[in-house]
mmCIF file of all heavy atoms in Angstrom:
data_model
loop_
_atom_site.group_PDB
_atom_site.id
_atom_site.type_symbol
_atom_site.label_atom_id
_atom_site.label_comp_id
_atom_site.label_asym_id
_atom_site.label_seq_id
_atom_site.Cartn_x
_atom_site.Cartn_y
_atom_site.Cartn_z
ATOM 1 N N VAL V 1 0.857 -1.182 0.007
ATOM 2 C CA VAL V 1 0.004 0.014 -0.013
ATOM 3 C C VAL V 1 0.881 1.255 0.048
ATOM 4 O O VAL V 1 0.581 2.216 -0.744
ATOM 5 C CB VAL V 1 -0.953 0.005 1.262
ATOM 6 C CG1 VAL V 1 -1.572 1.334 1.448
ATOM 7 C CG2 VAL V 1 -2.051 -1.040 1.012
ATOM 8 N N ASN V 2 1.926 1.271 0.788
ATOM 9 C CA ASN V 2 2.873 2.412 0.867
ATOM 10 C C ASN V 2 3.517 2.661 -0.532
ATOM 11 O O ASN V 2 3.595 3.770 -0.956
ATOM 12 C CB ASN V 2 3.908 2.209 1.947
ATOM 13 C CG ASN V 2 3.337 2.318 3.329
ATOM 14 O OD1 ASN V 2 2.270 2.938 3.537
ATOM 15 N ND2 ASN V 2 4.017 1.760 4.283
ATOM 16 N N VAL V 3 3.988 1.584 -1.116
ATOM 17 C CA VAL V 3 4.644 1.708 -2.444
ATOM 18 C C VAL V 3 3.665 2.200 -3.481
ATOM 19 O O VAL V 3 3.994 3.102 -4.287
ATOM 20 C CB VAL V 3 5.265 0.386 -2.916
ATOM 21 C CG1 VAL V 3 5.716 0.413 -4.323
ATOM 22 C CG2 VAL V 3 6.454 0.040 -1.933
ATOM 23 N N ALA V 4 2.442 1.689 -3.464
ATOM 24 C CA ALA V 4 1.419 2.117 -4.438
ATOM 25 C C ALA V 4 1.111 3.592 -4.195
ATOM 26 O O ALA V 4 0.958 4.370 -5.181
ATOM 27 C CB ALA V 4 0.163 1.302 -4.320
ATOM 28 N N ALA V 5 0.995 4.018 -2.946
ATOM 29 C CA ALA V 5 0.692 5.443 -2.665
ATOM 30 C C ALA V 5 1.841 6.372 -3.118
ATOM 31 O O ALA V 5 1.583 7.394 -3.713
ATOM 32 C CB ALA V 5 0.457 5.643 -1.176
ATOM 33 N N VAL V 6 3.117 5.911 -2.908
ATOM 34 C CA VAL V 6 4.201 6.747 -3.344
ATOM 35 C C VAL V 6 4.178 6.884 -4.863
ATOM 36 O O VAL V 6 4.381 8.010 -5.371
ATOM 37 C CB VAL V 6 5.529 6.138 -2.826
ATOM 38 C CG1 VAL V 6 6.730 6.721 -3.606
ATOM 39 C CG2 VAL V 6 5.694 6.308 -1.370
ATOM 40 N N LEU V 7 3.959 5.784 -5.578
ATOM 41 C CA LEU V 7 3.870 5.853 -6.993
ATOM 42 C C LEU V 7 2.749 6.700 -7.530
ATOM 43 O O LEU V 7 2.852 7.500 -8.440
ATOM 44 C CB LEU V 7 3.848 4.460 -7.612
ATOM 45 C CG LEU V 7 5.072 3.567 -7.478
ATOM 46 C CD1 LEU V 7 4.793 2.176 -7.994
ATOM 47 C CD2 LEU V 7 6.196 4.211 -8.278
ATOM 48 N N ALA V 8 1.609 6.591 -6.827
ATOM 49 C CA ALA V 8 0.422 7.378 -7.238
ATOM 50 C C ALA V 8 0.583 8.831 -7.100
ATOM 51 O O ALA V 8 0.115 9.621 -7.893
ATOM 52 C CB ALA V 8 -0.798 6.872 -6.453
ATOM 53 N N PHE V 9 1.363 9.263 -6.060
ATOM 54 C CA PHE V 9 1.566 10.671 -5.853
ATOM 55 C C PHE V 9 2.734 11.254 -6.605
ATOM 56 O O PHE V 9 2.753 12.437 -6.925
ATOM 57 C CB PHE V 9 1.763 10.954 -4.336
ATOM 58 C CG PHE V 9 0.488 10.964 -3.557
ATOM 59 C CD1 PHE V 9 0.176 9.970 -2.665
ATOM 60 C CD2 PHE V 9 -0.412 11.992 -3.736
ATOM 61 C CE1 PHE V 9 -1.033 9.955 -1.975
ATOM 62 C CE2 PHE V 9 -1.619 12.039 -3.053
ATOM 63 C CZ PHE V 9 -1.930 10.980 -2.144
ATOM 64 N N THR V 10 3.784 10.405 -6.901
ATOM 65 C CA THR V 10 4.886 10.968 -7.605
ATOM 66 C C THR V 10 4.884 10.915 -9.129
ATOM 67 O O THR V 10 5.459 11.790 -9.780
ATOM 68 C CB THR V 10 6.224 10.227 -7.167
ATOM 69 O OG1 THR V 10 6.056 8.834 -7.425
ATOM 70 C CG2 THR V 10 6.528 10.461 -5.696
ATOM 71 N N MET V 11 4.162 9.996 -9.670
ATOM 72 C CA MET V 11 4.149 9.901 -11.126
ATOM 73 C C MET V 11 3.501 11.100 -11.826
ATOM 74 O O MET V 11 3.973 11.550 -12.858
ATOM 75 C CB MET V 11 3.394 8.625 -11.545
ATOM 76 C CG MET V 11 4.245 7.434 -11.240
ATOM 77 S SD MET V 11 3.651 5.869 -11.820
ATOM 78 C CE MET V 11 3.772 6.056 -13.565
ATOM 79 N N PRO V 12 2.462 11.732 -11.262
ATOM 80 C CA PRO V 12 1.887 12.927 -11.959
ATOM 81 C C PRO V 12 2.701 14.159 -11.864
ATOM 82 O O PRO V 12 2.407 15.182 -12.585
ATOM 83 C CB PRO V 12 0.534 13.152 -11.253
ATOM 84 C CG PRO V 12 0.282 11.899 -10.429
ATOM 85 C CD PRO V 12 1.598 11.298 -10.181
ATOM 86 N N ILE V 13 3.780 14.179 -11.049
ATOM 87 C CA ILE V 13 4.540 15.436 -10.892
ATOM 88 C C ILE V 13 5.129 15.953 -12.208
ATOM 89 O O ILE V 13 5.055 17.130 -12.495
ATOM 90 C CB ILE V 13 5.687 15.195 -9.851
ATOM 91 C CG1 ILE V 13 5.134 15.154 -8.493
ATOM 92 C CG2 ILE V 13 6.735 16.320 -9.964
ATOM 93 C CD1 ILE V 13 6.121 14.889 -7.414
ATOM 94 N N ARG V 14 5.597 15.060 -13.016
ATOM 95 C CA ARG V 14 6.192 15.532 -14.343
ATOM 96 C C ARG V 14 5.133 16.220 -15.173
ATOM 97 O O ARG V 14 5.407 17.195 -15.736
ATOM 98 C CB ARG V 14 6.664 14.224 -15.053
ATOM 99 C CG ARG V 14 7.250 14.547 -16.416
ATOM 100 C CD ARG V 14 7.837 13.302 -17.023
ATOM 101 N NE ARG V 14 6.936 12.815 -18.057
ATOM 102 C CZ ARG V 14 7.260 11.822 -18.887
ATOM 103 N NH1 ARG V 14 8.344 11.221 -18.769
ATOM 104 N NH2 ARG V 14 6.391 11.489 -19.803
ATOM 105 N N PHE V 15 3.913 15.665 -15.180
ATOM 106 C CA PHE V 15 2.887 16.268 -16.056
ATOM 107 C C PHE V 15 2.316 17.521 -15.439
ATOM 108 O O PHE V 15 1.985 18.457 -16.199
ATOM 109 C CB PHE V 15 1.796 15.217 -16.294
ATOM 110 C CG PHE V 15 2.333 13.931 -16.895
ATOM 111 C CD1 PHE V 15 2.449 12.808 -16.234
ATOM 112 C CD2 PHE V 15 2.728 13.973 -18.239
ATOM 113 C CE1 PHE V 15 2.977 11.679 -16.794
ATOM 114 C CE2 PHE V 15 3.256 12.886 -18.839
ATOM 115 C CZ PHE V 15 3.406 11.706 -18.087
ATOM 116 N N LEU V 16 2.207 17.560 -14.093
ATOM 117 C CA LEU V 16 1.709 18.769 -13.446
ATOM 118 C C LEU V 16 2.669 19.948 -13.593
ATOM 119 O O LEU V 16 2.281 21.053 -13.857
ATOM 120 C CB LEU V 16 1.416 18.513 -11.966
ATOM 121 C CG LEU V 16 0.238 17.613 -11.674
ATOM 122 C CD1 LEU V 16 0.176 17.263 -10.196
ATOM 123 C CD2 LEU V 16 -1.038 18.141 -12.170
ATOM 124 N N LEU V 17 3.948 19.653 -13.516
ATOM 125 C CA LEU V 17 4.940 20.686 -13.700
ATOM 126 C C LEU V 17 4.977 21.141 -15.116
ATOM 127 O O LEU V 17 5.062 22.352 -15.369
ATOM 128 C CB LEU V 17 6.402 20.203 -13.263
ATOM 129 C CG LEU V 17 7.502 21.220 -13.412
ATOM 130 C CD1 LEU V 17 7.243 22.378 -12.518
ATOM 131 C CD2 LEU V 17 8.831 20.578 -13.125
ATOM 132 N N ALA V 18 4.846 20.246 -16.053
ATOM 133 C CA ALA V 18 4.802 20.633 -17.458
ATOM 134 C C ALA V 18 3.596 21.524 -17.742
ATOM 135 O O ALA V 18 3.664 22.527 -18.496
ATOM 136 C CB ALA V 18 4.757 19.390 -18.332
ATOM 137 N N LYS V 19 2.475 21.126 -17.150
ATOM 138 C CA LYS V 19 1.244 21.965 -17.320
ATOM 139 C C LYS V 19 1.451 23.382 -16.709
ATOM 140 O O LYS V 19 1.088 24.378 -17.324
ATOM 141 C CB LYS V 19 0.018 21.271 -16.689
ATOM 142 C CG LYS V 19 -1.255 22.009 -16.895
ATOM 143 C CD LYS V 19 -2.420 21.255 -16.405
ATOM 144 C CE LYS V 19 -3.554 22.133 -16.520
ATOM 145 N NZ LYS V 19 -4.780 21.576 -16.780
ATOM 146 N N HIS V 20 2.058 23.434 -15.506
ATOM 147 C CA HIS V 20 2.324 24.713 -14.877
ATOM 148 C C HIS V 20 3.247 25.558 -15.743
ATOM 149 O O HIS V 20 3.066 26.788 -15.779
ATOM 150 C CB HIS V 20 2.957 24.452 -13.514
ATOM 151 C CG HIS V 20 3.379 25.665 -12.746
ATOM 152 N ND1 HIS V 20 2.451 26.594 -12.286
ATOM 153 C CD2 HIS V 20 4.595 26.188 -12.471
ATOM 154 C CE1 HIS V 20 3.107 27.601 -11.704
ATOM 155 N NE2 HIS V 20 4.409 27.370 -11.773
ATOM 156 N N LEU V 21 4.195 24.961 -16.382
ATOM 157 C CA LEU V 21 5.175 25.724 -17.216
ATOM 158 C C LEU V 21 4.624 25.969 -18.598
ATOM 159 O O LEU V 21 5.186 26.799 -19.319
ATOM 160 C CB LEU V 21 6.511 25.007 -17.293
ATOM 161 C CG LEU V 21 7.304 24.838 -15.969
ATOM 162 C CD1 LEU V 21 8.510 24.000 -16.216
ATOM 163 C CD2 LEU V 21 7.614 26.189 -15.391
ATOM 164 N N GLY V 22 3.628 25.212 -19.006
ATOM 165 C CA GLY V 22 3.095 25.323 -20.363
ATOM 166 C C GLY V 22 3.977 24.711 -21.455
ATOM 167 O O GLY V 22 4.112 25.285 -22.512
ATOM 168 N N VAL V 23 4.596 23.590 -21.096
ATOM 169 C CA VAL V 23 5.494 22.920 -22.022
ATOM 170 C C VAL V 23 5.082 21.445 -22.126
ATOM 171 O O VAL V 23 4.295 20.954 -21.323
ATOM 172 C CB VAL V 23 7.009 22.966 -21.610
ATOM 173 C CG1 VAL V 23 7.453 24.413 -21.611
ATOM 174 C CG2 VAL V 23 7.206 22.364 -20.292
ATOM 175 N N ASP V 24 5.609 20.734 -23.083
ATOM 176 C CA ASP V 24 5.392 19.271 -23.233
ATOM 177 C C ASP V 24 6.552 18.587 -22.514
ATOM 178 O O ASP V 24 7.722 18.787 -22.808
ATOM 179 C CB ASP V 24 5.399 18.940 -24.671
ATOM 180 C CG ASP V 24 5.250 17.399 -24.890
ATOM 181 O OD1 ASP V 24 4.560 16.801 -24.103
ATOM 182 O OD2 ASP V 24 5.742 16.929 -25.920
ATOM 183 N N ALA V 25 6.171 17.770 -21.452
ATOM 184 C CA ALA V 25 7.202 17.158 -20.620
ATOM 185 C C ALA V 25 8.091 16.217 -21.426
ATOM 186 O O ALA V 25 9.318 16.227 -21.228
ATOM 187 C CB ALA V 25 6.511 16.356 -19.503
ATOM 188 N N LYS V 26 7.550 15.415 -22.352
ATOM 189 C CA LYS V 26 8.361 14.520 -23.089
ATOM 190 C C LYS V 26 9.307 15.252 -23.986
ATOM 191 O O LYS V 26 10.520 14.872 -24.073
ATOM 192 C CB LYS V 26 7.424 13.622 -23.949
ATOM 193 C CG LYS V 26 8.216 12.531 -24.659
ATOM 194 C CD LYS V 26 7.282 11.477 -25.209
ATOM 195 C CE LYS V 26 7.925 10.439 -25.995
ATOM 196 N NZ LYS V 26 9.009 9.744 -25.430
ATOM 197 N N ALA V 27 8.873 16.346 -24.625
ATOM 198 C CA ALA V 27 9.760 17.091 -25.478
ATOM 199 C C ALA V 27 10.870 17.782 -24.643
ATOM 200 O O ALA V 27 12.059 17.820 -25.110
ATOM 201 C CB ALA V 27 8.966 18.106 -26.206
ATOM 202 N N GLU V 28 10.517 18.251 -23.494
ATOM 203 C CA GLU V 28 11.538 18.924 -22.663
ATOM 204 C C GLU V 28 12.643 17.957 -22.205
ATOM 205 O O GLU V 28 13.808 18.316 -22.091
ATOM 206 C CB GLU V 28 10.934 19.567 -21.455
ATOM 207 C CG GLU V 28 10.124 20.841 -21.787
ATOM 208 C CD GLU V 28 10.987 21.991 -22.289
ATOM 209 O OE1 GLU V 28 12.079 22.270 -21.709
ATOM 210 O OE2 GLU V 28 10.591 22.529 -23.327
ATOM 211 N N LEU V 29 12.256 16.761 -21.876
ATOM 212 C CA LEU V 29 13.218 15.832 -21.420
ATOM 213 C C LEU V 29 13.968 15.019 -22.521
ATOM 214 O O LEU V 29 15.128 14.751 -22.449
ATOM 215 C CB LEU V 29 12.518 14.803 -20.474
ATOM 216 C CG LEU V 29 12.012 15.371 -19.137
ATOM 217 C CD1 LEU V 29 11.145 14.392 -18.414
ATOM 218 C CD2 LEU V 29 13.084 15.919 -18.278
ATOM 219 N N ASP V 30 13.212 14.656 -23.548
ATOM 220 C CA ASP V 30 13.796 13.817 -24.627
ATOM 221 C C ASP V 30 14.502 14.606 -25.678
ATOM 222 O O ASP V 30 15.599 14.308 -26.073
ATOM 223 C CB ASP V 30 12.712 12.914 -25.271
ATOM 224 C CG ASP V 30 12.135 11.854 -24.327
ATOM 225 O OD1 ASP V 30 12.825 11.592 -23.295
ATOM 226 O OD2 ASP V 30 11.100 11.308 -24.618
ATOM 227 N N GLN V 31 13.789 15.587 -26.238
ATOM 228 C CA GLN V 31 14.340 16.284 -27.368
ATOM 229 C C GLN V 31 15.201 17.545 -26.992
ATOM 230 O O GLN V 31 16.284 17.656 -27.425
ATOM 231 C CB GLN V 31 13.145 16.766 -28.301
ATOM 232 C CG GLN V 31 12.354 15.586 -28.851
ATOM 233 C CD GLN V 31 11.028 15.962 -29.346
ATOM 234 O OE1 GLN V 31 10.583 17.134 -29.228
ATOM 235 N NE2 GLN V 31 10.324 14.986 -29.900
ATOM 236 N N THR V 32 14.648 18.367 -26.135
ATOM 237 C CA THR V 32 15.409 19.570 -25.727
ATOM 238 C C THR V 32 16.496 19.246 -24.725
ATOM 239 O O THR V 32 17.483 19.980 -24.624
ATOM 240 C CB THR V 32 14.388 20.642 -25.095
ATOM 241 O OG1 THR V 32 13.293 20.705 -25.968
ATOM 242 C CG2 THR V 32 15.035 21.929 -24.882
ATOM 243 N N ASP V 33 16.358 18.104 -23.978
ATOM 244 C CA ASP V 33 17.275 17.736 -22.923
ATOM 245 C C ASP V 33 17.464 18.908 -21.968
ATOM 246 O O ASP V 33 18.609 19.255 -21.607
ATOM 247 C CB ASP V 33 18.597 17.324 -23.508
ATOM 248 C CG ASP V 33 19.376 16.508 -22.541
ATOM 249 O OD1 ASP V 33 18.830 15.865 -21.602
ATOM 250 O OD2 ASP V 33 20.642 16.519 -22.645
ATOM 251 N N ASN V 34 16.338 19.418 -21.452
ATOM 252 C CA ASN V 34 16.353 20.531 -20.528
ATOM 253 C C ASN V 34 16.634 20.114 -19.102
ATOM 254 O O ASN V 34 15.804 19.507 -18.448
ATOM 255 C CB ASN V 34 14.967 21.253 -20.574
ATOM 256 C CG ASN V 34 14.954 22.539 -19.804
ATOM 257 O OD1 ASN V 34 15.777 22.807 -19.022
ATOM 258 N ND2 ASN V 34 13.885 23.317 -20.055
ATOM 259 N N ALA V 35 17.872 20.317 -18.723
ATOM 260 C CA ALA V 35 18.338 19.861 -17.356
ATOM 261 C C ALA V 35 17.561 20.619 -16.270
ATOM 262 O O ALA V 35 17.299 20.048 -15.224
ATOM 263 C CB ALA V 35 19.798 20.102 -17.219
ATOM 264 N N ALA V 36 17.229 21.882 -16.486
ATOM 265 C CA ALA V 36 16.515 22.654 -15.488
ATOM 266 C C ALA V 36 15.122 22.044 -15.216
ATOM 267 O O ALA V 36 14.693 22.004 -14.043
ATOM 268 C CB ALA V 36 16.349 24.104 -15.938
ATOM 269 N N PHE V 37 14.471 21.563 -16.278
ATOM 270 C CA PHE V 37 13.189 20.892 -16.105
ATOM 271 C C PHE V 37 13.359 19.603 -15.281
ATOM 272 O O PHE V 37 12.581 19.334 -14.420
ATOM 273 C CB PHE V 37 12.597 20.596 -17.498
ATOM 274 C CG PHE V 37 11.159 20.083 -17.454
ATOM 275 C CD1 PHE V 37 10.101 20.902 -17.109
ATOM 276 C CD2 PHE V 37 10.915 18.782 -17.787
ATOM 277 C CE1 PHE V 37 8.878 20.412 -17.042
ATOM 278 C CE2 PHE V 37 9.635 18.270 -17.741
ATOM 279 C CZ PHE V 37 8.605 19.105 -17.378
ATOM 280 N N GLY V 38 14.425 18.893 -15.581
ATOM 281 C CA GLY V 38 14.682 17.663 -14.850
ATOM 282 C C GLY V 38 14.969 17.918 -13.387
ATOM 283 O O GLY V 38 14.543 17.134 -12.504
ATOM 284 N N VAL V 39 15.713 18.960 -13.135
ATOM 285 C CA VAL V 39 16.007 19.282 -11.738
ATOM 286 C C VAL V 39 14.792 19.738 -11.013
ATOM 287 O O VAL V 39 14.555 19.350 -9.821
ATOM 288 C CB VAL V 39 17.151 20.405 -11.685
ATOM 289 C CG1 VAL V 39 17.267 20.961 -10.310
ATOM 290 C CG2 VAL V 39 18.447 19.843 -12.145
ATOM 291 N N ALA V 40 13.906 20.497 -11.703
ATOM 292 C CA ALA V 40 12.646 20.882 -11.060
ATOM 293 C C ALA V 40 11.783 19.663 -10.715
ATOM 294 O O ALA V 40 11.126 19.608 -9.662
ATOM 295 C CB ALA V 40 11.906 21.863 -11.990
ATOM 296 N N ILE V 41 11.764 18.670 -11.637
ATOM 297 C CA ILE V 41 10.944 17.480 -11.348
ATOM 298 C C ILE V 41 11.624 16.737 -10.193
ATOM 299 O O ILE V 41 10.878 16.278 -9.292
ATOM 300 C CB ILE V 41 10.935 16.568 -12.607
ATOM 301 C CG1 ILE V 41 10.081 17.190 -13.726
ATOM 302 C CG2 ILE V 41 10.391 15.210 -12.231
ATOM 303 C CD1 ILE V 41 10.107 16.454 -15.004
ATOM 304 N N GLY V 42 12.935 16.614 -10.146
ATOM 305 C CA GLY V 42 13.574 15.905 -9.123
ATOM 306 C C GLY V 42 13.338 16.582 -7.769
ATOM 307 O O GLY V 42 13.131 15.856 -6.767
ATOM 308 N N GLY V 43 13.374 17.891 -7.704
ATOM 309 C CA GLY V 43 13.051 18.599 -6.470
ATOM 310 C C GLY V 43 11.658 18.367 -6.006
ATOM 311 O O GLY V 43 11.357 18.165 -4.781
ATOM 312 N N GLY V 44 10.716 18.334 -6.944
ATOM 313 C CA GLY V 44 9.286 18.069 -6.537
ATOM 314 C C GLY V 44 9.164 16.651 -6.024
ATOM 315 O O GLY V 44 8.475 16.427 -5.031
ATOM 316 N N VAL V 45 9.774 15.658 -6.698
ATOM 317 C CA VAL V 45 9.732 14.307 -6.220
ATOM 318 C C VAL V 45 10.373 14.145 -4.884
ATOM 319 O O VAL V 45 9.849 13.521 -3.956
ATOM 320 C CB VAL V 45 10.301 13.346 -7.264
ATOM 321 C CG1 VAL V 45 10.553 11.982 -6.673
ATOM 322 C CG2 VAL V 45 9.518 13.290 -8.516
#
């Protein structure tokens, strides 16, 4: 239950941050290789 709760709360962070910034999360991480976006996601997690 604890592992499921952790996954349920942490997985949406990438998409919520992308929505807040108005960018596409996959493009920022895969194509643009935006380290600042990755660090922001890591800090949120």
Side-chain angles (χ1 to χ4, degrees):
V1 165
N2 288 339
V3 168
V6 165
L7 290 175
F9 281 110
T10 57
M11 290 186 67
I13 286 179
R14 179 176 104 171
F15 303 105
L16 292 173
L17 181 62
K19 183 175 173 146
H20 175 69
L21 296 176
V23 297
D24 179 31
K26 185 166 177 53
E28 287 295 313
L29 294 172
D30 292 345
Q31 297 162 357
T32 311
D33 198 26
N34 188 345
F37 187 73
V39 168
I41 290 172
V45 168

